[in-house]
Amino acid sequence: MMDPVTLAVVRGALEQIGDEMDQHLIRAALSPIISETNDCAHGIYDPLTGETIAQGGLGLPMFLANMQFTVQRMIPFVEKAGGFRPGDVWITNDPYLSGTHLNDVILISPHFVDGELFALFANTGHWMDMGGGTPGGWVPTAQEIHQEGIIIPPLKLVEGGKRNEGIIGMITANVRLPQQLLGDLSAMINVFAIGQRGLDDLIGRYGVPVLKDCIAEMMSRSETQMRSYISDMPDGTYRVEDFFDNDGVVDAPLKVRLALTVTGSDLSFDFAGTDGPAVGPMNISDATTRSMCFVALKHIFPDVPVNGGAFRPTRFAIPEGCILSASYPSAVGGTTEITQRIVDVVFGAFAQAMPALAPAAPFGTTGVATVSGRRPDEGGYFVAVYPYPGGYGGSAESDGLINGTPPSSMAKFMSVEMSEHRYPVRFDHYAIREGSGGAGLHRGGCGSAYGIETLSDVLVSILGDRVDHQPFGVGGGRPAAGNSVTLHTGGKTWTPPFRSKAERVRFAAGDRFDLGSPGGGGYGDPLERDPGAIEDDLNDGLVGAEAARDLYGAVVTEDRRIFDRPVYSVDRQKTQAERDRRKSDLRRTG
């Protein structure tokens, strides 16, 4: 039997190594997409199987499982080239191998102990620009990968501690922000020393045999725990489908279909019937599809430690050629959108199987806006990237989170102060989007709304979704408000033809765009919501008086106004009478 104290200490130490690597990269990176938005991740991996041993807690969830698949697919490339050697660092951003989009660059570094390969370190960092037709990499009209930027196949970037400057020069010659890229690359390479130092300290304390036994036991226990939770689910197949509004090129919805099958302690994800491939960039690789299913599982079973063992009870069927299994030369810049929908459909399937555990759909779109241009003083490029925060779905336990980061990525919104310092923009507003959460016994969280005025000539691109197909509610809960994109250019106010997708729109000084992210879906019957909670929502600006009356059956009175804002009260007795009347009418009409 493994000593439980030793096991707990080793597990905590391995996770701490990942956390320290996260923190060092976030603090050392030059680009705000990493330093402000935390668009990165770190992990430790088994050198033979490629399975996750431990991961940092500050990185993006979708990278963490995804890096396991990247490591597993990279190992054969490295073996053909002679294997891993001390001081080496390998690099790739091939989206069909590594899973996401071209901006997400993965580095892998081996760690040796007494001449034996003990573990692999890997990290992912989002680079602000990889060339391509649109600064920032989000190209809503891209129809092939080469329109989105440069592909870096698996290459040995550092050999025996010496960087290959030829490879680096080739990369920097093809991007708009070479100096920023060089800073981020150096930080990503250097952070491996942090992980290696921590792992050496742990090995020095316990020795290789004990550490290997602890790692094997950690994985075994994660598998056992995950299987125990799956076993609690009723056997059966649970089906759900959802849609994307369009792919940015063809204005027609794209279907995502999932059949989730529970058989004992095994879980099968079958995406047969999913549309694709998309003509535009709404495609992702099968690796990211699997990764996002694990992210959704982690939301539902949060106490299972994440390592390779937690993934073992799952099986996948992802049809070749669908939008969830991209192959060359499909464009993949919509990765940040498609990942959100996978979480949604997994939640929807679990809501049928275990309604007490699964929430309604979260806001379901990253809605990335990029502002780019040339600096008049030095002539260099700038690229500002703004991923949406939005609302989470209500659950059996509580209302949904307000203004949360995307469940798949945790990418934070760049601070207003940093944005206005770095770029020629001025924020008109950044606020909670009132009334955007879906009504329910437990209300969905509200999304966010922000408006940006441009102070010089710039290009604005936007890649989002969830305008036509809003985040769904469960158990009688209502859908949330959809995405909202409004552009104000040349004295005109307009909405892009593809609603939430626009490419290289020219903005002059004084032009503005207003974006509003969706809320989360509601959970349960809105007529069962506590009147006191409705009164709080009204006075907190989360629900409007009309919605309180129409959706919740509340009898609302405006008592007074403070600083030109109304103060409401909800009459409990009259509200109950109104709800009883509505329920009676519903029973009578069938």
Side-chain angles (χ1 to χ4, degrees):
M1 294 290 293
M2 173 65 61
D3 172 31
V5 174
T6 300
L7 184 64
V9 171
V10 168
R11 175 191 156 192
L14 290 169
E15 292 174 350
Q16 179 64 26
I17 291 169
D19 288 344
E20 289 183 4
M21 294 174 75
D22 284 347
Q23 291 171 339
H24 277 78
L25 180 58
I26 289 167
R27 292 172 181 171
L30 292 186
S31 64
I33 197 75
I34 296 178
S35 63
E36 286 270 322
T37 305
N38 296 9
D39 202 338
C40 62
H42 295 82
I44 310 171
Y45 301 86
D46 186 282
L48 298 178
T49 67
E51 287 185 298
T52 305
I53 295 173
Q55 60 189 31
L58 302 179
L60 271 57
M62 71 183 233
F63 289 157
L64 296 167
N66 201 69
M67 284 199 295
Q68 171 172 312
F69 304 129
T70 304
V71 170
Q72 290 171 332
R73 292 174 175 180
M74 282 283 283
I75 287 174
F77 282 97
V78 177
E79 289 178 345
K80 288 181 180 178
F84 289 104
R85 299 184 183 280
D88 289 352
V89 176
W90 287 75
I91 186 172
T92 188
N93 75 337
D94 183 337
Y96 314 113
L97 182 152
S98 64
T100 54
H101 59 166
L102 293 174
N103 295 74
D104 295 332
V105 178
I106 295 92
L107 303 185
I108 299 174
S109 177
H111 187 65
F112 288 81
V113 178
D114 296 330
E116 180 185 352
L117 181 59
F118 179 81
L120 299 173
F121 287 99
N123 61 15
T124 301
H126 181 115
W127 290 358
M128 289 284 279
D129 186 81
M130 293 301 295
T134 297
W138 282 276
V139 189
T141 62
Q143 298 184 47
E144 64 172 25
I145 188 69
H146 298 293
Q147 294 171 304
E148 298 179 315
I150 61 170
I151 302 173
I152 306 171
L155 296 171
K156 189 184 293 187
L157 181 70
V158 179
E159 183 170 7
K162 183 178 181 180
R163 300 196 330 180
N164 187 322
E165 298 299 334
I167 293 176
I168 295 173
M170 182 275 298
I171 296 171
T172 55
N174 284 277
V175 302
R176 296 176 177 87
L177 304 170
Q179 294 305 312
Q180 194 175 95
L181 181 153
L182 286 171
D184 290 349
L185 175 61
S186 294
M188 290 175 68
I189 293 173
N190 292 340
V191 81
F192 286 131
I194 303 297
Q196 291 164 356
R197 183 184 65 196
L199 195 53
D200 282 339
D201 288 346
L202 196 59
I203 292 169
R205 181 175 178 182
Y206 290 103
V208 168
V210 171
L211 216 54
K212 285 186 174 180
D213 287 345
C214 285
I215 290 169
E217 183 68 14
M218 286 164 50
M219 291 195 185
S220 176
R221 292 193 179 197
S222 286
E223 180 181 1
T224 299
Q225 190 175 0
M226 182 63 80
R227 288 191 179 279
S228 72
Y229 287 137
I230 296 170
S231 297
D232 290 338
M233 300 170 63
D235 281 5
T237 298
Y238 306 93
R239 304 179 189 278
V240 64
E241 64 181 32
D242 204 345
F243 296 85
F244 294 100
D245 298 341
N246 54 67
D247 68 5
V249 176
V250 178
D251 196 0
L254 290 167
K255 177 172 57 185
V256 177
R257 178 177 287 172
L258 170 64
L260 178 73
T261 299
V262 182
T263 308
S265 66
D266 291 316
L267 202 57
S268 172
F269 298 84
D270 187 349
F271 289 94
T274 296
D275 286 342
V279 177
M282 301 291 277
N283 301 286
I284 59 172
S285 83
D286 65 314
T288 299
T289 299
R290 289 187 285 165
S291 176
M292 293 315 305
C293 291
F294 295 142
V295 170
L297 281 178
K298 180 62 175 174
H299 277 273
I300 294 169
F301 304 127
D303 56 334
V304 179
V306 178
N307 55 49
F311 307 154
R312 292 172 182 170
T314 57
R315 301 293 181 270
F316 291 88
I318 308 170
E320 292 185 11
C322 77
I323 60 175
L324 306 183
S325 184
S327 59
Y328 178 84
S330 292
V332 296
T335 291
T336 49
E337 292 302 307
I338 298 186
T339 52
Q340 311 303 323
R341 198 68 75 256
I342 296 171
V343 171
D344 296 346
V345 295
V346 174
F347 283 175
F350 267 88
Q352 299 172 34
M354 301 189 77
L357 290 182
F363 59 105
T365 175
T366 306
V368 174
T370 60
V371 180
S372 60
R374 303 288 294 271
R375 299 187 184 278
D377 52 346
E378 59 190 51
Y381 284 94
F382 66 85
V383 181
V385 177
Y386 300 98
Y388 263 152
Y392 280 31
S395 69
E397 297 294 329
S398 66
D399 295 337
L401 178 68
I402 295 170
N403 192 48
T405 59
S408 66
S409 76
M410 290 172 52
K412 299 188 298 183
F413 194 83
M414 193 191 317
S415 72
V416 172
E417 295 82 2
M418 177 63 73
S419 297
E420 294 184 342
H421 172 70
R422 281 179 175 257
Y423 309 114
V425 299
R426 179 185 297 120
F427 274 74
D428 178 74
H429 62 276
Y430 178 40
I432 293 172
R433 187 184 177 196
E434 298 184 2
S436 57
L441 166 67
H442 290 144
R443 166 188 47 71
C446 290
S448 61
Y450 69 95
I452 290 181
E453 177 187 351
T454 57
L455 305 181
S456 66
D457 293 344
V458 299
L459 296 176
V460 173
S461 296
I462 301 169
L463 204 167
D465 206 79
R466 279 291 195 206
V467 177
D468 305 334
H469 301 88
Q470 297 92 345
F472 56 81
V474 298
R478 302 297 183 87
N483 200 353
S484 174
V485 174
T486 306
L487 310 182
H488 311 271
T489 61
K492 297 180 180 179
T493 296
W494 55 288
T495 297
F498 284 80
R499 276 83 74 204
S500 60
K501 299 174 179 71
E503 182 178 337
R504 296 176 63 90
V505 180
R506 294 189 177 277
F507 275 56
D511 288 343
R512 194 179 84 246
F513 60 88
D514 294 315
L515 304 185
S517 66
Y523 183 99
D525 186 352
L527 296 182
E528 298 298 326
R529 185 166 178 79
D530 176 59
I534 298 171
E535 187 173 281
D536 290 341
D537 289 342
L538 284 162
N539 292 318
D540 289 341
L542 304 180
V543 172
E546 183 177 353
R549 297 184 183 102
D550 293 347
L551 300 178
Y552 291 99
V555 178
V556 178
T557 302
E558 181 181 325
D559 293 337
R560 62 191 185 279
R561 300 184 76 85
I562 298 178
F563 299 117
D564 204 36
R565 285 189 65 93
V567 177
Y568 296 102
S569 62
V570 174
D571 189 299
R572 272 65 169 172
Q573 291 184 336
K574 291 181 179 180
T575 294
Q576 188 59 53
E578 171 62 17
R579 289 174 166 180
D580 291 342
R581 182 190 66 77
R582 293 190 186 188
K583 292 176 182 178
S584 177
D585 290 346
L586 185 61
R587 286 193 295 268
R588 187 166 54 251
T589 59

